[in-house]
Amino acid sequence: MAEKSYFYGLGRRKEATATARLYAGKGAITINEKSAEAFLSNNKTLLAELTDPLASVSKQNDFDITLLIKGGGVSGQVDAAKLAISKALASINDDLKGTLSKAGFLRRDSRVTERKKYGLKGARKREQFSKR
């Protein structure tokens, strides 16, 4: 059986799920078969946030990253991808895992949308109370 040629990570945030594969390469990032710049419509802030785990361990140009992202909005997708990349990096080396953990990149943000309750307009919004 051949040794696998990539490192794998899975990340979730809100309704978004991301899987990351890190291959040896030059630093190219592909999201759903598009370049990261095209997928994030040239949003520099989100692109910088996506590469934060790589920057924290100084590996920006060591890996080509392929991401598959499903569900959620853009912000949740970027957070899920960031967690997936961090988990893939952590699987490479325990020293990297310690660095990423201290920086807070391996912690899943478990906050999700609160469900709507019966008798209310949303999760918490009510009809206005009328005394008379």
Side-chain angles (χ1 to χ4, degrees), residues 16-23 27-43 45-51 54 64-82 84-85:
T17 303
T19 58
R21 289 184 179 185
L22 274 62
Y23 299 91
I29 300 176
T30 308
I31 304 174
N32 293 351
E33 298 182 7
K34 296 180 185 175
S35 70
E37 292 83 14
F39 187 84
L40 298 173
S41 28
N42 288 324
N43 189 329
T45 309
L46 291 177
L47 192 58
E49 189 177 335
L50 184 66
T51 57
L54 294 167
D64 285 342
I65 301 172
T66 303
L67 291 161
L68 271 176
I69 303 178
K70 296 178 185 171
V74 180
S75 178
Q77 289 177 345
V78 169
D79 286 343
K82 191 164 67 168
I85 291 168

